[in-house]
Amino acid sequence: MPRAAIPADLSPRAYRRAADFLAGLDADWARHVAAVGPCRHEAKPGREPYEALVRAIAHQQLHARAAEAILARLLALYPDADFPSPQALLATDEQQQRACGLSASKLVAIRGIAQAAADGVVPSRADALRLSDDELIARLTPLRGVGRWTVEMFLIYTLERSDILPVDDYGVREGYRRLKGLDKTPTPRQMRDIGLAWSPHRTVAAWYLWRLPAQGVHPPGDTVRASAGDAQP
């Protein structure tokens, strides 16, 4: 049975409650939460799932500035809209879209998302808010270029879900290794089992773990990394 959606409560009070919960787990968490300070996770609610997924594909394997430049050129093809509708995106000549800097595989993925949105496979935001985390993962991961990690970033940043732990994310697993002084980074399966103890605050736990990885590994808001199954450039 799909796990029910965790209500979107990422208010400052909820952040404090989550941070206090994590700090109470053990001395390592207590030191880290104290060193980092209050959680300053920033979601981007309000976007339609279709737009959020298209933007996610554009950002995969690119630094945020490079991805935003490509998106700006793509959006310039549609001056009468803040973001092109699925129908408008599909009606545009593919060579024009490629000229914006999109790789062939990313363009196929983006147009596939647009077709899925037009067909009702990608839900509206109103419908997505009524679906559980597991239901959305099952519904969206069959789309080309949309791996579990991409859907989890969508759940965290667009739908403001508060109990998401992206175990395929290297930053999360490496962060935990550094938190605990382990010799090896946990596998995704190990990380999933470990993270059960952090529910229902796993989104905030991920935010704190992203503050720990070695230099050169950044949280998703800076450099977006694709996991297995996500589109490659």
Side-chain angles (χ1 to χ4, degrees), residues 156-171:
I156 290 172
Y157 287 98
T158 302
L159 296 187
E160 300 182 283
R161 297 289 169 86
S162 57
D163 198 32
I164 303 298
L165 184 67
V167 298
D168 292 316
D169 189 285
Y170 176 76

Side-chain angles (χ1 to χ4, degrees), residues 33-54:
V33 170
V36 173
C39 177
R40 302 188 188 282
H41 168 65
E42 294 183 5
K44 297 177 174 62
R47 284 178 177 164
E48 285 292 313
Y50 151 70
E51 177 182 349
L53 292 174
V54 168

Side-chain angles (χ1 to χ4, degrees), residues 173-215:
R173 290 183 286 115
E174 174 64 8
Y176 185 76
R177 186 194 71 78
R178 290 168 62 85
L179 177 73
K180 292 297 182 180
L182 303 176
D183 292 331
K184 294 183 179 180
T185 301
T187 66
R189 177 175 293 182
Q190 290 170 331
M191 193 76 259
R192 185 175 294 109
D193 291 341
I194 291 166
L196 291 174
W198 308 336
S199 183
H201 305 294
R202 285 179 286 188
T203 294
V204 174
W207 185 90
Y208 276 104
L209 292 175
W210 276 320
R211 263 73 234 159
L212 269 162
Q215 186 176 7

Side-chain angles (χ1 to χ4, degrees), residues 55-73:
R55 288 180 177 275
I57 295 295
H59 276 78
Q60 285 173 357
Q61 300 286 357
L62 291 177
H63 192 280
R65 287 192 295 272
E68 286 300 321
I70 291 171
L71 277 168
R73 290 192 289 271

